[in-house]
Amino acid sequence: MIETPETDKAFKKQIKTSLEKDFLRKTLNNFFTSYRQSRGNVFADLDLEGMREDVACMKDAGIPNLSELFDEFKKNAEAAGSIVHVARDAEEANCIIAQIAKENQVKSIVKSKSMTAEETFLNDHLEKDGYEVVETDLGEWIIQMRHEGPSHMVMPAIHLSRYQVGDLFSDVTAKKQDPENIEGLVKVARKELRPKFIGADMGISGCNFAIADSGVIGLVTNEGNARLTTTLPRVHVALMGFDKLVQDYSSAVKILKILPRNATGQALTSYVTWIKGTNECATAPEEKKIQHMVFIDNGRLELAKDPIFSQALRCIRCGACANVCPIYRMVGGHTFGHVYIGAIGLILTPFFHGKEKAREIVKCCLNCQSCKAVCPSKIDLPFLIKNVYAKIQDEDGGKPFKTRMTSMLLKNRRLFHTALKTASKMQGPATDGPYIRHLPTFLMGEHNFRRLPAIADRSLRDDWKYVKPKVKNPKIKVALFGGCAGDFIYPEHGKAFAKLCEAYNISVDYPMDQTCCGLPTMMMAQMDTAKEIALQNVKAFKSGDYDYIVTLCASCGSHIKENFPKLLTKKGAVPADVQAMADKLIDFSSFMNDVVKVKAEDFMNLGRKVTYHYPCHLIRGLGVEEAPMALLEKAGVDFKACDESQVCCGFSGSFSVDFPMISKTMLDHKLDNVSATGATTLVTDCPGCTLQLKGGIKARGMNVTVKHMAEVLLEEKK
């Protein structure tokens, strides 16, 4: 069985232990890097977004009709000789399979890889009933012998070194194995497993799709073990969730085209196997294979009815959400998951295994959007994770005190802004220039990996009447969404924007009723507060006749554009004023490059050495990639490309306070890459990233200046 920490203290202890595993970190780092490269290559000449849209639409069409699809599948499968079962939950599925084994006098069982069997803990059940059960996927066989769960949905033993495997195989064979001889280790597995295939009475598999109109199941594998498992034994049992049902072969092919590419960066796996009905089998009683198909519900049919969470059933189990997750990269699947790993695991765990298994791990999400951007069926994973977090808190009887207090403060604009202004006046003795000299006691120790900024003496809104662009007959009229950090910590960002707009004859308003965008409350799963704050901001910008609403904070921009419509939808429709705000919202770099269309001749071309960090919510939330690079080229800087410039810096608001050990590790990796460029200026488009990067650089004593893109353009402007 899998042990998942159920307390905050235990979870953080497990995180610390995982971070100290050098081999794990090295392995996952290497895979993280190579996966992005291979995935990019294999999709290079394909319409990836079109493929993702096809899968999402196909799955969405089937989810409301899973019962009907099952009935059709059952009729066609039974006509071909299969026996079809339905299990309400994991226990019933295990009992059905155990009963099939009993009825057929089974003694030994071989299994091919199946996450659904992991979900039900099938091996434990069968072994307790006295059956010999052998995993035949190489990775699954290895972790079975180590008595571990998988650390990845597709690559279950990715956390182990060849030396650990070599030691294990030495024990199994009672003969010393050479860990450097990978081919030799594979031969050991073949030699050990071949007699198991030949002697097995029953083979158990999962499936990747169950095709309703033909009763066919499909398996996508990279090893020949699945075909041996489903053909050699006289009894074959296929275990699958209702979510594997698709209407027809063309629907399955849509998944097949994208699954291996997204999972491992392969154009196609080694084996694609289609199975329909019973076939000849000399060892079976009537020389016909005995075939059973067990469909498990385990909450899926109820989940299919949920207006928010039903999209989780689009998942095709590619594991890519873990492949790109910065947290998985740091700590691995045994820490960041229960049975199902990564972002989809955070969502499915409470539904399949109970909230107590998800209570701690669901907090551990950066909202960096990497999982959403890579998901082949376009599941809005970060949004669902926050809704799961809210659901668990509600079922636990309410929000934590810290969360309630933060929520109360943020939804009251006047109280919030008054508190910030009061803090700016009282912080003097604790500050050292723009930084806080001494951290509060609860932030000492492992939180001391960066210097934290002081609140500005005067906020942007305090000085707006002095800095507002003075223009006549403006060619563009915009409003500026400041955001908390841009208003009260880094007002210089907004002032730089105002000066640029004045130079380009652009009128700018700063609606004083605007407040925090509400993203922090959504990160804390305070959905009601997030809605209330969203309404306040929509109202603040509603009256102005603006061509654009510009934000210098990518996080605010992404939240407004993506989440305001979701949060404020009424009766299935987005209110016109909400949609208007989302439609007019534009980030600073896109505004200057695509709307203002600044030119190279506008700048002095000083040639300063510059590198760039992409904020998560700019590159993935808003889908902006080219504009920042175009602006830096026009500004004439000496640009130095930074490795992994699109990977999260580890801030994510309160995440870095709740999980400082992960935040520090991510920041260290980021700053190592920045240092390697030799750049003296690090540019970004988000005050949150500025806080993290600037604070880390100050703590390290690096000779690098962190600037918002607006500041750089102003400094380079002729």
Side-chain angles (χ1 to χ4, degrees):
M1 299 291 281
I2 295 173
E3 295 295 328
T4 300
E6 296 182 13
T7 66
D8 181 73
K9 184 177 180 180
F11 184 43
K12 289 182 177 177
K13 182 179 180 181
Q14 187 165 315
I15 288 173
K16 187 174 185 296
T17 300
S18 296
L19 289 172
E20 292 171 350
K21 295 179 180 178
D22 292 338
F23 173 78
L24 176 69
R25 292 274 308 286
K26 181 179 179 181
T27 297
L28 294 179
N29 268 332
N30 291 340
F31 173 69
F32 190 88
T33 303
S34 63
Y35 169 77
R36 285 185 291 116
Q37 181 66 48
S38 59
R39 181 181 182 270
N41 292 341
V42 82
F43 280 118
D45 299 322
L46 299 173
D47 177 14
L48 174 56
E49 288 310 302
M51 295 166 72
R52 295 176 72 213
E53 186 66 25
D54 283 348
V55 172
C57 290
M58 180 270 293
K59 294 289 277 184
D60 279 349
I63 288 170
N65 304 303
L66 291 179
S67 295
E68 290 80 4
L69 288 173
F70 169 75
D71 290 341
E72 186 177 359
F73 178 91
K74 184 175 186 292
K75 180 185 70 174
N76 290 316
E78 289 182 341
S82 301
I83 303 167
V84 181
H85 308 261
V86 174
R88 292 187 302 272
D89 54 27
E91 180 63 22
E92 187 171 2
N94 292 341
C95 288
I96 289 171
I97 295 172
Q99 184 62 30
I100 294 169
K102 181 179 180 181
E103 290 173 355
N104 290 280
Q105 293 82 50
V106 167
K107 293 181 181 178
S108 60
I109 300 171
V110 289
K111 284 179 73 258
S112 66
K113 187 176 180 303
S114 167
M115 280 307 300
T116 312
E118 297 286 350
E119 176 188 329
T120 69
F121 301 107
L122 177 60
N123 287 9
D124 294 339
H125 186 102
L126 293 175
E127 287 169 354
K128 285 178 183 176
D129 283 357
Y131 299 103
E132 179 194 22
V133 184
V134 179
E135 294 285 354
T136 62
D137 173 90
L138 179 57
E140 289 284 350
W141 184 55
I142 290 168
I143 64 170
Q144 182 187 29
M145 289 189 292
R146 286 175 57 90
H147 307 289
E148 295 176 341
S151 63
H152 189 283
M153 285 198 287
V154 177
M155 296 158 287
I158 192 175
H159 59 291
L160 298 174
S161 71
R162 66 183 68 181
Y163 303 103
Q164 290 170 296
V165 174
D167 289 344
L168 177 67
F169 283 11
S170 296
D171 292 339
V172 169
T173 61
K175 180 181 178 182
K176 181 64 177 175
Q177 301 295 330
D178 179 8
E180 298 293 344
N181 184 0
I182 302 297
E183 185 177 347
L185 294 177
V186 173
K187 286 181 178 178
V188 168
R190 287 178 182 155
K191 183 178 179 181
E192 293 295 320
L193 289 173
R194 189 170 292 123
K196 303 296 183 182
F197 286 117
I198 295 171
D201 303 304
M202 176 190 283
I204 299 175
S205 74
C207 89
N208 292 94
F209 11 73
I211 302 175
D213 73 352
S214 62
V216 169
I217 62 170
L219 285 75
V220 180
T221 59
N222 262 328
E223 301 173 21
N225 64 300
R227 287 190 172 175
L228 292 171
T229 296
T230 57
T231 55
L232 290 182
R234 55 189 167 85
V235 182
H236 170 218
V237 177
L239 174 64
M240 65 204 81
F242 275 85
D243 49 310
K244 296 300 176 69
L245 286 159
V246 296
Q247 176 58 48
D248 49 32
Y249 177 74
S250 64
S251 299
V253 169
K254 289 177 181 177
I255 297 174
L256 185 58
K257 285 180 179 178
I258 202 169
L259 174 57
R261 290 181 168 91
N262 220 54
T264 55
Q266 297 171 266
L268 195 64
T269 52
S270 301
Y271 301 92
V272 179
T273 304
W274 306 98
I275 300 172
K276 179 174 182 176
T278 56
N279 52 28
E280 293 182 5
C281 181
T283 58
E286 297 179 6
E287 297 192 353
K288 282 281 188 180
K289 181 177 290 295
I290 300 165
Q291 186 182 67
H292 293 259
M293 298 185 180
V294 181
F295 281 81
I296 182 173
D297 180 0
N298 208 28
R300 288 167 171 82
L301 296 180
E302 193 63 31
L303 193 61
K305 301 173 186 175
D306 192 288
I308 295 176
F309 294 111
S310 59
Q311 64 172 291
L313 295 177
R314 292 181 194 166
C315 179
I316 62 173
R317 305 292 191 269
C318 68
C321 56
N323 297 352
V324 299
C325 175
I327 297 172
Y328 178 86
R329 178 188 192 179
M330 297 293 124
V331 301
H334 287 154
T335 296
F336 195 53
H338 179 55
V339 170
Y340 290 103
I341 305 303
I344 193 64
L346 302 189
I347 297 162
L348 295 179
T349 295
F351 292 100
F352 291 174
H353 297 109
K355 67 180 181 184
E356 64 279 358
K357 300 299 183 185
R359 184 181 289 113
E360 297 305 321
I361 60 175
V362 77
K363 301 175 187 176
C364 197
C365 172
L366 285 157
N367 193 37
C368 71
Q369 309 269 340
S370 296
C371 54
K372 178 181 177 181
V374 80
C375 179
S377 45
K378 303 185 73 172
I379 304 171
D380 193 348
L381 293 157
F383 186 71
L384 295 192
I385 289 169
K386 295 312 168 190
N387 276 278
V388 166
Y389 188 18
K391 176 181 171 66
I392 290 173
Q393 289 185 15
D394 290 342
E395 291 177 358
D396 280 347
K399 315 294 183 184
F401 176 77
K402 180 181 73 173
T403 300
R404 296 199 308 272
M405 291 300 100
T406 304
S407 176
M408 181 184 73
L409 184 65
L410 290 181
K411 69 182 179 182
N412 187 326
R413 182 186 67 79
R414 292 185 184 278
L415 177 62
F416 177 45
H417 291 172
T418 299
L420 288 171
K421 290 179 180 180
T422 302
S424 73
K425 301 295 186 291
M426 297 177 64
Q427 67 186 351
T431 60
D432 176 17
Y435 296 97
I436 295 174
R437 181 185 292 112
H438 301 296
L439 292 174
T441 302
F442 78 95
L443 287 176
M444 293 297 284
E446 60 188 4
H447 295 269
N448 213 9
F449 60 91
R450 66 177 176 217
R451 296 290 301 275
L452 292 177
I455 299 171
D457 292 337
R458 291 181 60 83
S459 67
L460 179 61
R461 64 179 57 235
D462 288 337
D463 287 342
W464 185 251
K465 60 185 175 183
Y466 307 115
V467 301
K468 180 178 180 178
K470 299 173 179 61
V471 298
K472 295 181 180 179
N473 303 316
K475 62 178 183 179
I476 304 173
K477 183 179 180 182
V478 305
L480 174 61
F481 187 90
C484 307
D487 197 346
F488 291 93
I489 300 177
Y490 302 115
E492 59 269 25
H493 297 177
K495 292 176 182 179
F497 173 66
K499 289 180 181 179
L500 285 168
C501 286
E502 187 167 278
Y504 285 102
N505 195 34
I506 298 167
S507 169
V508 186
D509 283 344
Y510 193 89
M512 291 297 160
D513 286 341
Q514 66 175 288
T515 185
C516 170
C517 68
L519 180 58
T521 60
M522 188 167 162
M523 287 293 290
M524 294 184 291
Q526 289 282 71
M527 296 303 180
D528 289 342
T529 303
K531 291 178 184 178
E532 189 172 335
I533 292 173
L535 284 170
Q536 291 177 27
N537 282 308
V538 171
K539 183 178 179 181
F541 284 83
K542 184 176 180 179
S543 59
D545 182 22
Y546 307 120
D547 297 309
Y548 297 93
I549 298 172
V550 182
T551 181
L552 281 70
C553 177
S555 297
C556 293
S558 175
H559 182 60
I560 292 169
K561 208 167 188 70
E562 289 191 289
N563 294 327
F564 275 24
K566 296 173 194 169
L567 290 168
L568 301 178
T569 291
K570 294 181 179 179
K571 298 180 179 179
V574 179
D577 54 350
V578 177
Q579 192 61 57
M581 184 174 185
D583 290 343
K584 290 182 179 181
L585 195 288
I586 189 170
D587 67 282
F588 170 79
S589 284
S590 294
F591 177 70
M592 297 304 293
N593 188 69
D594 304 338
V595 178
V596 180
K597 299 184 185 301
V598 300
K599 298 179 175 61
E601 52 264 33
D602 298 343
F603 302 98
M604 293 184 287
N605 300 319
L606 298 177
R608 70 168 97 180
K609 292 182 179 180
V610 168
T611 192
Y612 186 80
H613 163 69
Y614 277 96
C616 296
H617 294 103
L618 183 73
I619 184 68
R620 288 176 287 274
L622 295 173
V624 175
E625 183 174 8
E626 296 178 2
M629 295 300 101
L631 288 177
L632 291 175
E633 182 179 356
K634 291 174 183 178
V637 302
D638 181 8
F639 181 71
K640 305 293 183 182
C642 182
D643 285 348
E644 300 189 345
S645 62
Q646 298 180 6
V647 175
C648 183
C649 65
F651 177 55
S652 188
S654 61
F655 177 90
S656 62
V657 176
D658 293 335
F659 298 98
M661 63 293 282
I662 296 176
S663 182
K664 177 186 184 301
T665 306
M666 294 175 65
L667 178 59
D668 284 344
H669 190 75
K670 174 66 65 173
L671 295 184
D672 286 345
N673 287 335
V674 170
S675 181
T677 67
T680 55
T681 301
L682 171 58
V683 184
T684 190
D685 272 275
C686 185
C689 296
T690 300
L691 187 156
Q692 176 86 335
L693 297 168
K694 206 168 188 176
I697 284 171
K698 180 68 174 178
R700 275 194 180 197
M702 292 172 62
N703 186 28
V704 178
T705 303
V706 180
K707 295 281 186 178
H708 191 283
M709 181 70 80
E711 296 177 287
V712 170
L713 292 190
L714 181 64
E715 291 168 4
E716 296 282 343
K717 184 82 171 62
K718 287 181 180 177

